[in-house]
Amino acid sequence: MAPSLPIAMVLLAWSTSILFCGTYLDPATPFVRASEPSALQLEAKALLKSGWWKSANTNNVSSGCKWPGITCNAGGSVTEIRVAYYLGEMSKLNLSFFPNLVRLDLHKAGLQGSISVEIGTLSKLTYLDLSHNNLKGELPLSLTNLAQLVVFNVSYNQITGPIPASLSLLIHLSHFVLYTNQINGFIPLEIEKLSNLSILDLGGNMLTGPIPSTLGNLTNLKYLYLDSNQINDSIPPEIGNLKNLIYLLLTNNSLNGQIPSTIGHLTNLKGLNLDSNQINGQIPSTIGHLTNLEYLSLYSNQINGQIPSTIGHLTNLEDLFLYSNQINGSIPREIGNLKNLIYLDLSNNSLNGQIPSTIGHSTNLSYLSLSQNQIKGSIPIEIGNLKSLSFLNLAHNNLIGHIPTQIGNLHSLNSLNLSHNFISGEPPVELGTIDKLLFLDISYNNLTGNVPNSYISIKSVNLSYNYLTGPVPTGFDRNHTRHTLIGNKYLCGDTMGFPPCKNSIVTKVKIFVAIAIPLGFLVLGGFLMCRCMVKETQFESIETKNGNLFSIWNYDGQIAYEDIIEATEDFDLKYCIGTGGYGSVYKAKLPGGKVIALKRLHRLEAENPTFDMSFRNEVKVLTEIRHRNIIKLHGFCLHKRCMFLVYEYMERGSLFCILNSDVEAMELDWSKRVNIIKGTAHALSYLHHDCIPAIVHRDITSNNILLNNKLEAFVSDFGTAKLLDPDSSNQTLVAGTYGYIAPELAYTMKVTEKCDVYSFGVVALEILMGIHPTEFMTSLSSTSSQNMMLHEILDQRLPPPNHLVAQDIFLIATIAFACIHTKPKSRPTMQCVTQEFLSPMKSIAKPLHAVSLRQLRNQEMHMVACMRE
Ligand SMILES: *[C@@H]1O[C@H](CO)[C@@H](O)[C@H](O)[C@H]1NC(C)=O
Ligand SMILES: *[C@@H]1O[C@H](CO)[C@@H](O)[C@H](O)[C@H]1NC(C)=O
Ligand SMILES: *[C@@H]1O[C@H](CO)[C@@H](O)[C@H](O)[C@H]1NC(C)=O
Ligand SMILES: *[C@@H]1O[C@H](CO)[C@@H](O)[C@H](O)[C@H]1NC(C)=O
Ligand SMILES: *[C@@H]1O[C@H](CO)[C@@H](O)[C@H](O)[C@H]1NC(C)=O
Ligand SMILES: *[C@@H]1O[C@H](CO)[C@@H](O)[C@H](O)[C@H]1NC(C)=O
Ligand SMILES: *[C@@H]1O[C@H](CO)[C@@H](O)[C@H](O)[C@H]1NC(C)=O
Ligand SMILES: *[C@@H]1O[C@H](CO)[C@@H](O)[C@H](O)[C@H]1NC(C)=O
Ligand SMILES: *[C@@H]1O[C@H](CO)[C@@H](O)[C@H](O)[C@H]1NC(C)=O
Ligand SMILES: *[C@@H]1O[C@H](CO)[C@@H](O)[C@H](O)[C@H]1NC(C)=O
Ligand SMILES: *[C@@H]1O[C@H](CO)[C@@H](O)[C@H](O)[C@H]1NC(C)=O
C-alpha cells in the first residue's frame, strides 16, 4: 500500500490545518500536486467509498458532482450533500475530505452508528440536518469546530449524554433542534451566548434541573420548546425578556411555582403551553396583554384562584384549555369577547357561579366543556346561538332549570352531555331533530314527562335515573344497548324490563299472534333497511361536517375508540409502520378482522395549532371528496389528547418504496405502471376540476401515492392541501417535497393547480425511469440528453415494453415532459391530461426504440391535442 502513504500524509496535514489554523486549503494550492491525487479526486473517492451512490456511474469518479443529491462549486468541489434514501452507517462517508461542504442534509436517511467525529473538519458548514435517523451515542465535542453553523438539527434520533457547554461557541446558530432524543443533564447556562438563536427545541429529552435564567438573554428567540423533559424548577421571570417569542412550549415537565407575571411582556406570543406540570398559584392578570395569543393551554396543573377577567382581551384566542386545575370563582363574563374561540375546556376545576349568558357571543365555538365543576343556575338560552358547536359537556355540575329548547338550533351538535345535574322539566323533543346528534346523555337529573319518540333517531341515548313517566317509545328495546332508560321507575312498556303499560294486554297478545309472522319479516327488513340508512346518514354527516371533533369508525364512538386503542395497544411502537415529518402511521387489526391504517400526530405537533389545522384540513378535504384513486378516510379523532386519522389500509405501501426495491419494482410491470399514472391523473383531475372550490394537493410525490394489493394507485396525504394560510407567516412549514416542487414556487408564493401538474410530471417520469429524475431533469437542456433515446431512460430492471404498452408509454412520456415545463402556463391542465388518456390511442409512427427525447418534445404539440387550444 505504498502509494497511499503520501495521500495519508497530505490528508493529515490538511485536516490538522483545518483544526488548528481554521483555514482550508484551496484545491488549487501547490500543497496538493497534480502528481498526487488532487483534493477533488479525494472527495470523489470518499463519495465512492461510502457506497451511498449505488445507481450512479461509479466507474467515473470525476462525475461525482452529477450524482443525485450532490452539489459542487465552480471548481468541482462538493459544497452540498443531500440524500434522503437509506444509507446505513454514518461513518461510511469519511467527512474529512470535504473542506468546502456548506450544507449536509441527511435527514430520513436511515443513518446508524454515532455522529462521526470527522464532522468537526467541516469548517465551512452552515447547515446540518441529521434528523429522523437512528443515530446513537453522544454529541461529539468536535461539533464545537463548526464555527459557521447556522442550522443544527438532530431531532428524532437516540442521542444520549449531555448538551456540551462548548456548543455555546457556535455563535451563528439560529436553529438548534435536538427534539426527541435521550439527552440528559442540565440545560447549560452558557446557552446565553447563542445570541442569534431563533429556534431552540430541546423537547422530548431527559433534561432536568431548572430553566436557566440566562435564557432570558436570547432575545432573538421566536420558538422555545422544552416540552417533555424533567425540568423541575419554577419558570424564571427572565423569560419575560424574550420579546420576540412566538411560541413557548414547556408542556409535560415538572415545573412548579407560579406563572411569572412578566409573561405579560411576551406580546408577540401566539401559543403558550404550560400544561401537564405542577404549576400553582393564580393565572397572572398580565396574561391579558398577550393579545396575539391563539392558543393557551394550562391544563393539568395545580392552578387556583379565579380566571382573570383580562382574559377577555385575548380576542385572537382560538383554543383555551384550563381543565384539571383547582380554579374557582365564576367564569368571567368577558369570555364572550373571545369571538374566535373554537375550543373551550374548563372542566375538572372548582368553578362555581353561573354560566355567563355572554358565552353565546363566541359563535365559533365548536367544543365546550364545563363539566366537573360546581356551576349553578340554569343553562342560558343564549347557548342556542353557538351554531358551530359540535360537542357540549356540562355534566357533573349543579345546574337547575329546564333544558332550553334553543339547544335544538345547534345543528352541528354531535354530542350532548348534561348528566349529573339537577335539571328538571321534560326532555325537549327538539333534541331528536338534530340530524347530527349521535350521543345524548341526560342521566342523573330531575327530568319528568315522557321520552320523546324523536329520540329513536339518536344513536346513543342515556336518560337513566330521572323521573320519566309513560310508555317507552317503540324502537327502544332491551337489545338496543345504547338506549338506556333504567332508574326511571314510572316508565312502562313491554320492553327493557319495564312493567307493561296499563292498556289491554289481551288484545295486544291477539294482535301479536295474528301478525306475528309477517311483522317478523317486516321488522327484519326494516331493521336491515334502517341499518343501511343509518350507515348512509353516517356518511352524509361525515361529508357535511367540518368542525367535528371525534367521529370514529362508523360513529361507534367510545367503543370504536377503545377498539383502536386496544388494537394498537395504545399506539405501541410495534404497530408503527412508518414515521413522517409530523406524524407516525400505525397498522391495526380491528376485532372484526378489518385492517386499518392510523395516522397519528407526534406529540409536539398535536400541540401546534398549525399541524392541528393541517389534520383538520385533511379531514375536511377527505370527507368531502370521494374518488376511486383517492385514499378513503374511515374516521378521525381530533382532540388534543387523541389526534389521529383512520384510513383504509394500503397493503403495498408507497410507490416510492416499491420503486426502490428491485424485487417489487419488477413486479410493477409496464401496464401496472401505466395504470398507476392514469389513476393518479384521474384523481388530480377530479381534485382540480370536479371539486368546488378546486383542491390543490401541493405534495404529489411517489411517497404520497399508495398502492393496494392489486397495485392500484391511491393519492394520499392531504395535510398540506390547504395548509398555506395566507394570514399566517409561519415560515417553518414547507409545503411540498424537494424534487417535486414546481420551480415557480421558489419565487412566488402563488399556489395554482399547475403546481400539482408539475409534481405529477415528475412522478410520471419517476415511474417510467424507476428512480427520481432530478439528475435527468437538470441535464435535459443539454444537447446530449436531447439526443438520448426514450428507451434508454426507461427503468432497465423491466424488459422493454411490448408494442401495446409502448403506445401508452410514448403518450405518458410526452405528457410528462409537457407537465414539467418551467412556465406554469405551458403545462397542460390535469383535465387535458386525462382527456388524452381517454381518447383513442393515436399510433406512433416509429417503434419505441427509435424515438429520441428531442422528437418526443417536438411531438408534444401534436400529441396533446387539448394543449393546442
Ligand atoms: C467522466 O465524467 C466527466 C464529467 O461528467 C466526463 O467529462 C468524462 O468524459 C467522463 N469520463 C469517462 C471515462 O466516462
Ligand atoms: C477518515 O480519513 C482520515 C484521513 O485519511 C482518517 O484519519 C480517518 O481515520 C478516517 N475515518 C474513518 C472513520 O475512516
Ligand atoms: C431541522 O430543523 C431545521 C431548523 O428548524 C429545519 O429547517 C428543518 O426542516 C428540520 N428538518 C426536518 C427534517 O424537519
Ligand atoms: C444573526 O442573524 C442575523 C440575521 O439573520 C445576521 O445578519 C447576523 O449576521 C447573525 N449574526 C451572527 C453572529 O451570526
Ligand atoms: C430537580 O431534579 C434534580 C435531579 O433529579 C434534583 O437534583 C434537584 O434537586 C431537583 N430540583 C428541584 C427544585 O426539585
Ligand atoms: C445577560 O443579561 C444580563 C442582564 O439581564 C447581563 O448582565 C448579562 O451580561 C447578559 N449576558 C450576556 C452574555 O449577554
Ligand atoms: C411526557 O414526557 C414523557 C417523558 O418525559 C414521555 O414519555 C411522554 O410521552 C410525554 N407525554 C406526552 C403526553 O407527551
Ligand atoms: C381532575 O383533575 C385532577 C387534578 O386537579 C386530576 O388528578 C384528575 O385526574 C382529573 N380528573 C379527570 C377525570 O380528568
Ligand atoms: C378560591 O380559592 C382560593 C384558594 O385556593 C381562596 O382563597 C378563595 O377564597 C376562593 N375563592 C372563591 C370565590 O371560592
Ligand atoms: C330533584 O328531585 C329530587 C327528588 O324528587 C328532589 O329531592 C330534589 O329537590 C330535586 N332537586 C331539584 C333541584 O329540583
Ligand atoms: C335480544 O337478544 C337476544 C340474544 O342476543 C335474543 O334472544 C332476544 O330475543 C332479543 N330480544 C329482543 C326483544 O329482541
Side-chain angles (χ1 to χ4, degrees), residues 403-424:
I403 299 173
T405 54
Q406 285 82 354
I407 286 190
N409 298 341
L410 302 179
H411 297 300
S412 302
L413 204 59
N414 184 221
S415 169
L416 175 61
N417 190 346
L418 305 175
S419 67
H420 296 273
N421 279 292
F422 302 101
I423 296 169
S424 55

Side-chain angles (χ1 to χ4, degrees), residues 192-193 214 216-217 238 241:
E192 67 173 327
K193 296 190 188 137
T214 56
N217 286 40
E238 288 82 0
N241 298 341

